[in-house]
Amino acid sequence: MLYLLHEMAYYSAAPMRGLAQMTRDFWGNKANPASETPFGKKMFASAELFSTVTRRYGKPDWRINSVTINGKDVRVQAIEDWSSPWVKLVRFQRDATDLRRAGVKKPSPAVLIVAPLSGHYATLLRGTVQEFLLDHDVYVTDWVNARQVPVLEGRFDFYSFIDHIRDMLKVIGARTHVVAVCQPGPPTLAAACLMAEDNDPCRPASMTFMGSPIDARFNPTITNDLAQEKPFTWFKSNMVHNVPPPYPGVGRRVYPGFVQLYSFMSMNEERHKDAHWSYFNSLVSDDDDGVEKHLEFYDEYLSVLDLSEEFYLQTIDLVFQKFALPKGELVHHGRPVKLEAVTDIALMTVEGEKDDISGVGQTQAAHKMCPNIPDDMRELYVQDGAGHYGVFNGRRFRESIYPKIRDFIARTEDKL
């Protein structure tokens, strides 16, 4: 019922959005002599703000057409290499001729960036992908909105996530480097353990976990506390809803993306209020840089996707309540996941000092959990001043975090 009410609220606001858009167009028209008056600018800004806040935010485009390497522009094309009803494996192919012109003569390491399946689209990692493209052949897991998947396509759960990681690594080929951002850490580590035990030739050469709840018992945050305070039945009864028509997944039980979004925004309510007030003032003062910066962030932040019921609930149960992986109790299709099986996969963990989603200690726990990785194949890094988003995007990521991951991957490559 909540999902249906949410949709009804959106469509019922259509007349007000239409009026706001007409108001915006009237007061924003330079042919209107009153458009440059203080009153006209405030009317335009008010209408624009209302339209922006209440509009529908669909899946953003990647918008990665080129990168600059050694001062040369290198064209980039996003190609779908493999897919299932639940994910597309996107390869960002750099133009070979442009690479030669930029002085890149030898093959680059392949990196699979495992994007979070936690409410936002994989395009949230646009900045992450752009940095990795400077030195690597990059692949990304582009997860599908569960409301777009017909019920006849079946289930997608925590164990399906593990299977998908294994399948995609096999598609890419031998000794890929895996970078898991936030939520995918536990299932990605589980996939690596299973592949290591099988001596799978496509097991990753290295795995890097960034701001990930590998062991959520350490330094719990607000989200961790919520998972512990509420019984499992509460999440099942209150956080899962039916997809309404006209979506292809009508009838599917999902954890709606808008619920996750509202939860995250409520954690930093004043910050978001201040951001929209600053956006209003930027519109009034014709501050194009301020307007562009605001829209760039919120166009991505407000674009959300739904998670399947079974994946969401199993993640709550296994990762945040039972801590199955760090306790050595995770069983995949009847088979125990053995952390000690990892012996030749290099391990790096990255955390943010001010991460309010995955507290410091939760990610680096992977080092103790994998006791048989040699010391010279490990790296632990905590970024001063970085919050959760700053672990994988922004200035600190570009200037401090990415160079360390790049060098870690390069050292691993030298040992292969």
Side-chain angles (χ1 to χ4, degrees), residues 87-98:
V87 69
K88 296 177 182 178
L89 177 60
V90 177
R91 171 166 54 99
F92 289 89
Q93 180 174 281
R94 299 176 298 173
D95 185 85
T97 302
D98 291 349

Side-chain angles (χ1 to χ4, degrees), residues 269-303:
E269 185 175 349
E270 290 303 318
R271 184 185 303 174
H272 290 294
K273 287 180 179 178
D274 291 343
H276 282 82
W277 177 244
S278 296
Y279 175 57
F280 174 85
N281 288 325
S282 295
L283 289 167
V284 172
S285 62
D286 293 325
D287 178 8
D288 292 339
D289 289 340
V291 169
E292 184 177 354
K293 184 177 180 181
H294 178 91
L295 292 178
E296 182 179 357
F297 176 79
Y298 278 99
D299 282 357
E300 197 72 54
Y301 189 77
L302 298 178
S303 300

Side-chain angles (χ1 to χ4, degrees), residues 221-232:
T221 63
I222 294 176
T223 54
N224 302 139
D225 290 340
L226 175 64
Q228 286 294 300
E229 291 169 1
K230 302 291 185 182
F232 179 78

Side-chain angles (χ1 to χ4, degrees), residues 150-413:
V151 174
L152 292 177
E153 294 291 353
R155 292 163 49 91
F156 181 88
D157 59 17
F158 187 85
Y159 305 102
S160 304
F161 195 110
I162 296 174
D163 292 334
H164 274 62
I165 297 301
R166 297 191 66 174
D167 290 342
M168 287 184 279
L169 285 170
K170 290 178 180 179
V171 169
I172 298 171
R175 310 320 303 266
T176 302
H177 301 270
V178 176
V179 177
V181 181
C182 190
Q183 166 272 318
T188 300
L189 177 54
C193 292
L194 295 168
M195 297 179 81
E197 186 181 10
D198 292 342
N199 198 29
D200 192 317
C202 291
R203 66 190 182 278
S206 74
M207 48 188 178
T208 299
F209 300 112
M210 307 176 68
S212 181
I214 300 294
D215 189 343
R217 292 175 294 182
F218 289 94
N219 193 16
T221 63
I222 294 176
T223 54
N224 302 139
D225 290 340
L226 175 64
Q228 286 294 300
E229 291 169 1
K230 302 291 185 182
F232 179 78
T233 52
W234 182 89
F235 290 95
K236 188 172 184 178
S237 300
N238 293 278
M239 307 302 280
V240 177
H241 305 275
N242 290 324
V243 175
Y247 299 109
V250 58
R252 181 178 291 281
R253 297 278 288 171
V254 299
Y255 172 55
F258 65 81
V259 173
Q260 176 81 314
L261 177 64
Y262 298 158
S263 299
F264 278 166
M265 294 189 74
S266 66
M267 292 172 60
N268 298 284
E269 185 175 349
E270 290 303 318
R271 184 185 303 174
H272 290 294
K273 287 180 179 178
D274 291 343
H276 282 82
W277 177 244
S278 296
Y279 175 57
F280 174 85
N281 288 325
S282 295
L283 289 167
V284 172
S285 62
D286 293 325
D287 178 8
D288 292 339
D289 289 340
V291 169
E292 184 177 354
K293 184 177 180 181
H294 178 91
L295 292 178
E296 182 179 357
F297 176 79
Y298 278 99
D299 282 357
E300 197 72 54
Y301 189 77
L302 298 178
S303 300
V304 293
L305 55 73
D306 301 343
L307 282 60
S308 69
E309 173 188 36
E310 53 274 13
F311 174 77
Y312 169 71
L313 292 177
Q314 286 179 355
T315 298
I316 293 292
D317 181 44
L318 296 172
V319 177
F320 295 104
Q321 292 189 339
K322 292 181 177 176
F323 315 106
L325 183 62
K327 286 184 175 181
E329 299 172 356
L330 183 63
V331 178
H332 179 262
H333 300 325
R335 177 183 173 187
V337 175
K338 299 178 181 179
L339 292 158
E340 65 273 15
V342 181
T343 60
D344 64 351
I345 303 175
L347 170 64
M348 180 176 185
T349 59
V350 180
E351 294 177 317
E353 176 194 17
K354 298 182 179 180
D355 193 331
D356 58 355
I357 303 297
S358 297
V360 173
Q362 294 187 15
T363 308
Q364 62 186 264
H367 289 283
K368 289 186 177 180
M369 290 165 52
C370 300
N372 294 328
I373 298 176
D375 289 343
D376 64 350
M377 296 176 63
R378 300 174 180 269
E379 182 156 350
L380 184 158
Y381 182 69
V382 179
Q383 176 61 51
D384 293 341
H388 187 69
Y389 187 75
V391 169
F392 58 87
N393 225 326
R395 180 182 58 82
R396 289 187 178 93
F397 171 74
R398 292 192 303 271
E399 297 178 0
S400 301
I401 296 174
Y402 171 70
K404 291 188 177 297
I405 301 175
R406 176 199 62 206
D407 295 345
F408 167 75
I409 291 175
R411 289 195 302 272
T412 304
E413 281 286 302

